[in-house]
Amino acid sequence: MGEWRKKIREVTPYVPGEQPQFADMIKLNTNENPYPPAPGVAKVLAGMDAGKLKLYPKPDARELVDALAAEYRVAPEQIFVGVGSDDVLGMAFLTCFTGEKEILFPDITYSFYPVWAELFGIRYRTPALDENFLIRKEDYFVPNGGIVIANPNAPTSIAMPLADIEEIVEKNQDSVVIIDEAYVDFGGESALPLVEKYDNLLVVQTFSKSRSMAGMRIGFAIGSRELIGAMYAVRNSYNSYTMNYPSILCGVEAVKDRAYFEQTKAAIVTTREKTADRLCELGFTVLPSAANFLFVSHKRISAEELFGKLREKHIFVRFFKKPRIQNYLRVTVGTPEEMERFLKEIEACLADMP
Ligand code: PMP
């Protein structure tokens, strides 16, 4: 009796940031964009014909893929789309990492990577970031089963120069190298121009951050036709209809509005820099951010304590109780007004904690 328990798969899942619901809250804990999506997205949603939902969506999400191909000047066959970049990355792990050798990713990075590796039975090793939280490129010049680098890295916010990324790709042409560019639009250098040169490179991006559409769930990868074709073969062996009808239509609108994209991105970068300066004045160490968040540590007050105090005031930031980073907080960049209140509360907390 109950023997089924021994037969089911046991995994330790990824734990996403909490989604609290308070009217007065300032939510700076999951790196969402504080601005709404491009205005065209709201128009599409308002005019949407629910009757269309009785049909399956196009399995190749044609309109969305074509819009991305035009925007990034690649062939449609070089684009894979998925349900957020988590879906795209998961499919990339499943497709690209099947060898005996360990795959490599940094010890401090997006904490979903080890979860996919465990789920799919992929062996992995995690070279340590250096004492300044930088990726040591030399750690990746060794035999491996594949490489994953988030650039800019999370939660550190630090970007790696494109020349270093290229060196890693160039020295690893017998492995697939995945560059996770979830935050690249806020200041990193994209590896997209390298896709034509290296057929082992897969660049993954998302609509969740710079296009303000975390709730719609759209991610994409760009790579060689061969690599993208292999990913679709795996996806179509699992679920052919990942992209729903509303997300295809809304995604197209978001890609088309380049002016809005540039404007909201610039606003976040300006707010990020102002917030970083103020935090430095208040005694924080702020890592150099190329993302839409700051990774900060206070000289005097512990991150866990500050996290708790801010939480009581309904200001939510992210705290990772993990070796090396347990005295850091990850703070998403919100609107100027939100950051103003955040800084006021921080000042009050510091005054309260002698
Ligand atoms: N990569 C990194 C580095 C991230 O921080 C996130 C956000 N949690 C993702 C990928 C996945 O984002 P999404 O699935 O919303 O595209």
Side-chain angles (χ1 to χ4, degrees):
M1 285 284 277
E3 284 292 295
W4 60 268
R5 289 186 180 84
K6 291 191 187 141
K7 296 173 183 159
I8 63 172
R9 191 182 299 278
E10 261 186 75
V11 288
T12 309
Y14 169 75
V15 182
E18 60 182 323
Q19 294 292 344
Q21 308 284 338
F22 297 102
D24 66 340
M25 73 177 175
I26 299 192
K27 193 173 177 305
L28 309 174
N29 68 331
T30 48
N31 295 344
E32 288 137 331
N33 195 311
Y35 300 108
V41 174
K43 283 199 198 113
V44 166
L45 285 173
M48 197 160 280
D49 173 7
K52 296 266 193 203
L53 297 179
K54 70 181 187 222
L55 302 176
Y56 283 103
K58 292 183 188 160
D60 61 2
R62 196 71 225 180
E63 293 87 346
L64 179 58
V65 166
D66 284 346
L68 286 167
E71 180 64 18
Y72 293 102
R73 294 162 202 261
V74 294
E77 297 75 29
Q78 290 182 274
I79 300 183
F80 179 93
V81 288
V83 187
S85 55
D86 281 341
D87 179 40
V88 176
L89 287 162
M91 281 295 136
F93 270 58
L94 192 54
T95 309
C96 305
F97 303 149
T98 62
E100 281 294 299
K101 292 199 185 104
E102 292 163 330
I103 67 163
L104 305 175
F105 49 82
D107 63 339
I108 299 167
T109 190
Y110 186 31
S111 47
F112 222 137
Y113 303 155
V115 175
W116 286 310
E118 299 281 350
L119 179 64
F120 301 139
I122 300 162
R123 298 191 319 120
Y124 64 96
R125 193 162 63 74
T126 57
L129 297 183
D130 75 10
E131 64 285 3
N132 297 316
F133 293 119
L134 299 178
I135 293 169
R136 280 188 287 232
K137 63 181 176 188
E138 296 77 14
D139 290 343
Y140 299 85
F141 301 163
V142 294
N144 61 73
I147 291 174
V148 191
I149 304 270
N151 193 39
N153 196 10
T156 65
S157 77
I158 301 174
M160 195 177 197
L162 186 57
D164 292 353
I165 294 279
E166 176 159 12
E167 217 179 321
I168 291 175
V169 179
E170 199 262 325
K171 288 195 158 65
N172 284 287
Q173 295 188 42
D174 291 331
S175 291
V176 173
V177 179
I178 299 177
I179 307 297
D180 176 356
E181 296 189 345
Y183 301 103
V184 77
D185 294 324
F186 300 104
E189 282 175 283
S190 176
L192 280 175
L194 302 180
V195 159
E196 290 307 315
K197 204 163 156 192
Y198 300 98
D199 55 11
N200 61 319
L201 170 64
L202 190 75
V203 178
V204 179
Q205 294 194 6
T206 178
F207 282 45
S208 298
K209 319 291 178 184
S210 54
R211 296 191 195 273
S212 306
M213 289 172 77
M216 190 54 90
R217 314 301 302 130
I218 304 175
F220 62 98
I222 297 185
S224 60
R225 286 176 166 79
E226 204 179 335
L227 198 46
I228 296 298
M231 283 183 63
Y232 276 119
V234 171
R235 186 203 71 166
N236 293 336
S237 308
Y238 178 72
N239 177 4
S240 342
Y241 299 107
T242 52
M243 307 310 289
N244 65 53
Y245 177 72
S247 67
I248 295 172
L249 294 194
C250 292
V252 169
E253 288 307 310
V255 176
K256 280 197 323 210
D257 199 340
R258 198 181 287 164
Y260 184 82
F261 173 68
E262 295 296 339
Q263 182 196 323
T264 46
K265 240 172 37 176
I268 287 168
V269 170
T270 304
T271 311
R272 177 184 77 205
E273 295 309 307
K274 284 192 182 149
T275 309
D277 289 348
R278 293 272 300 276
L279 287 169
C280 288
E281 285 163 21
L282 293 172
F284 283 88
T285 301
V286 181
L287 299 193
S289 174
N292 68 336
F293 58 90
L294 295 166
F295 203 47
V296 307
S297 177
H298 197 265
K299 291 191 191 81
R300 191 163 54 81
I301 315 288
S302 87
E304 189 164 18
E305 217 179 329
L306 200 50
F307 169 77
K309 288 266 179 204
L310 288 169
R311 209 185 144 79
E312 282 169 19
K313 296 177 177 176
H314 288 175
I315 296 181
F316 295 90
V317 297
R318 193 86 188 259
F319 167 66
F320 301 91
K321 207 174 182 129
K322 286 186 181 168
R324 297 187 74 190
I325 57 169
Q326 63 211 5
N327 207 26
Y328 279 81
L329 293 177
R330 193 193 70 188
V331 182
T332 306
V333 177
T335 61
E337 298 72 30
E338 286 173 326
M339 298 325 275
E340 202 49 55
R341 202 185 125 205
F342 162 75
L343 287 162
K344 285 235 154 61
E345 297 291 4
I346 288 268
E347 279 175 24
C349 288
L350 294 180
D352 271 0
M353 296 193 228

